Amino acid sequence: MKVVYIANTCEHVVRPLCDGLYSEYGENFIFIETTELDKNRAGIGCLETRPYIFNAIGKEDEAKKLCDEADVVIFGGVSLDYIQKRISENKLTIYYSERMFKKGFYRYFNPITMTKVRKRFVNPSRNSNFHLLCASSYAALDFNRVGAFRNKMYKWGYQIEIREQDIDALMAGKPEDGLKFVWVGRLVALKHCDDAIRVVARLKNEGYAPRLTIIGSGEEEQKLKALVAKLGAEEFIHFKGTCKIDETRAEMDKANIFMFTSDFGEGWGATLNECMNSACACVANHAAGSTNFLIEDKVDGLIYKNGDVEALYQKVKFLVDNKAERERIARKAYDKMSNEWNPAKSYKRMVALIDLLLKTGNCELYKEGPCSKAYPIKENWYKD
């Protein structure tokens, strides 16, 4: 069995899967990089090499040959030139993608976009051996709308390295008052860090003593700092800047609550994986790409409707005021990451998926979690 994964770079959100596939297939697994990693993306911990990585810069013909000869190719975000031949021959090919229309489905009706989508996805997906691996819970919606990959879509998302810890010790290291918050991400408009700031400022005004650590940098940073000053919350909110992954995870481990405030522009949001793995009680925006796949509302996290800052506040306050529920949800979150969304375990589902797709063209082994069937969900799916 020869398996090829081809993408721009072997980033941290796909490397755990690649490590698993390499452990399964050995030298018969190759990751083809088509570009060099942007080394300005500090702190993501993905600059080290791997024995399975083949860089295609200046070796495009060799890379195409590897794709042609593989039993299966997983690809994402690269030129169709690499996989055009195998698609025309109906060889098993799996496209790995977030949603297409983060800014609205209306964009499909641009003639240039429509032509590109039909050429790249709609027409090829008529082949029985062309499937979709969803890196967003809204990917199935977007591709289904254009008539691509129907009944050939599977859940995967982005799976980060899971850290196994003593859950009791992890919980014991968190403050008893439940008021240690963490927010992690680029400081850009779609991630709505301002909503988290407003929640903390309101808690402060109601007599609580919250502590929010904001990790990340970006174009909104000065605007957000001005908001903190305007709300009189400088004592309670700390901007830590961009941190290395170990420092970021240490902050997550110490936090009681993570506010995941990204809107529909967030394709996935691996910080949700990480904070659940750190046993944070997470309050997640329903619009973010990972929320529907990872969170079961009121079981291993809380969900609020996009834009409803009042609901975000009320759910955060509920967790602060109810220690037993906060800790129950945090433990459930940790358990889900350890057992269901742990790439060291779930890559075996990928192996089974590949095997069944090669044999039958379909896989229905799993009801939930990685490699289960992905079906379209409407953007207004969440009902409180």
Side-chain angles (χ1 to χ4, degrees):
M1 173 82 74
K2 292 185 178 180
V3 178
V4 167
Y5 190 140
I6 180 168
N8 290 328
T9 58
C10 190
E11 296 192 79
H12 71 302
V13 291
V14 299
R15 184 173 301 128
L17 167 61
C18 294
D19 287 346
L21 294 177
Y22 182 67
S23 71
E24 180 73 21
Y25 300 114
E27 62 183 15
N28 285 321
F29 172 72
I30 297 173
F31 186 100
I32 299 175
E33 284 188 328
T34 60
T35 64
E36 291 184 356
L37 181 69
D38 179 3
K39 294 180 174 57
N40 291 321
R41 294 187 63 188
I44 59 176
C46 59
L47 299 181
E48 66 268 24
T49 188
R50 288 291 195 274
Y52 50 74
I53 294 178
F54 174 88
N55 191 284
I57 296 176
K59 303 174 185 176
E60 287 81 4
D61 289 342
E62 188 175 348
K64 290 176 184 177
K65 184 178 179 182
L66 288 169
C67 290
D68 291 343
E69 295 176 350
D71 294 290
V72 57
V73 169
I74 304 169
F75 80 103
V78 298
S79 170
L80 280 180
D81 291 344
Y82 288 100
I83 48 92
Q84 194 69 60
K85 184 172 184 291
R86 68 177 295 110
I87 288 178
S88 67
E89 295 174 351
N90 201 26
K91 294 180 179 178
L92 181 58
T93 308
I94 303 173
Y95 181 52
Y96 188 14
S97 178
E98 296 180 2
R99 68 180 310 183
M100 286 191 290
F101 305 114
K102 294 178 183 178
K103 296 182 179 180
F105 184 62
Y106 73 91
R107 296 169 69 87
Y108 175 65
F109 298 102
N110 178 301
I112 295 175
T113 301
M114 186 179 293
T115 299
K116 181 179 178 181
V117 168
R118 287 179 175 175
K119 178 182 178 182
R120 189 174 177 87
F121 307 117
V122 180
N123 295 336
S125 72
R126 291 171 182 160
N127 290 344
S128 60
N129 278 325
F130 195 35
H131 300 260
L132 178 69
L133 202 60
C134 296
S136 168
S137 56
Y138 297 103
L141 171 68
D142 286 353
F143 284 98
N144 187 72
R145 278 174 164 174
V146 301
F149 300 110
R150 287 178 174 169
N151 203 38
K152 296 191 295 181
M153 298 181 278
Y154 298 88
K155 296 179 182 180
W156 189 262
Y158 292 126
Q159 295 200 40
I160 51 90
E161 177 186 358
I162 296 301
R163 301 186 176 193
E164 300 290 348
Q165 303 190 60
D166 182 321
I167 183 61
D168 292 328
L170 182 58
M171 296 302 297
K174 297 177 184 290
E176 286 286 324
D177 63 8
L179 287 164
K180 179 73 171 70
F181 306 113
V182 66
W183 189 98
V184 184
R186 289 177 297 121
L187 301 180
V188 295
L190 72 88
K191 293 181 182 283
H192 299 280
C193 182
D194 57 313
D195 291 347
I197 289 170
R198 288 187 173 90
V199 167
V200 169
R202 185 170 168 184
L203 286 169
K204 179 265 299 184
N205 291 339
E206 295 196 4
Y208 293 87
R211 289 89 66 197
L212 170 62
T213 299
I214 296 173
I215 298 175
S217 59
E219 61 197 40
E220 295 274 302
E221 184 168 350
Q222 294 309 312
K223 180 180 176 181
L224 293 168
K225 287 180 176 178
L227 176 62
V228 171
K230 179 181 177 181
L231 296 173
E234 299 101 318
E235 180 184 348
F236 303 91
I237 298 174
H238 173 53
F239 287 83
K240 197 161 185 174
T242 300
C243 298
K244 292 183 178 180
I245 186 65
D246 287 343
E247 188 175 1
T248 299
R249 293 301 300 270
E251 287 292 338
M252 292 173 176
D253 285 351
K254 291 184 290 185
N256 302 107
I257 296 170
F258 169 56
M259 287 178 276
F260 184 44
T261 52
S262 296
D263 63 25
F264 288 107
E266 183 73 81
W268 180 255
T271 52
L272 183 57
N273 302 61
E274 292 169 333
C275 285
M276 291 176 73
N277 181 222
S278 287
C280 294
C282 300
V283 185
N285 190 327
H286 97 280
S290 59
T291 298
N292 181 270
F293 279 5
L294 297 185
I295 297 287
E296 183 178 355
D297 194 29
K298 301 180 180 67
V299 175
D300 44 40
L302 299 181
I303 301 174
Y304 72 98
K305 187 176 180 180
N306 181 46
D308 191 345
V309 182
E310 175 65 23
L312 171 63
Y313 170 77
Q314 292 297 337
K315 295 190 178 196
V316 168
K317 186 174 182 293
F318 170 81
L319 292 174
V320 170
D321 291 341
N322 293 274
K323 180 182 177 183
E325 276 296 285
R326 182 178 71 242
E327 294 191 349
R328 180 190 65 80
I329 286 172
R331 287 174 179 271
K332 286 285 189 181
Y334 178 85
D335 184 67
K336 178 173 277 188
M337 288 300 106
S338 293
N339 294 304
E340 186 173 311
W341 287 90
N342 185 342
K345 299 175 182 178
S346 59
Y347 86 86
K348 295 178 181 178
R349 291 190 176 200
M350 181 63 65
V351 171
L353 173 72
I354 290 170
D355 185 58
L356 269 179
L357 292 181
L358 282 169
K359 291 177 180 177
T360 70
N362 187 44
C363 177
E364 296 187 3
L365 285 175
Y366 311 107
K367 297 299 182 183
E368 297 292 340
C371 297
S372 62
K373 282 285 183 73
Y375 298 101
I377 59 169
K378 294 181 179 180
E379 290 187 346
N380 64 349
W381 63 270
Y382 178 67
K383 309 295 181 186
D384 195 356

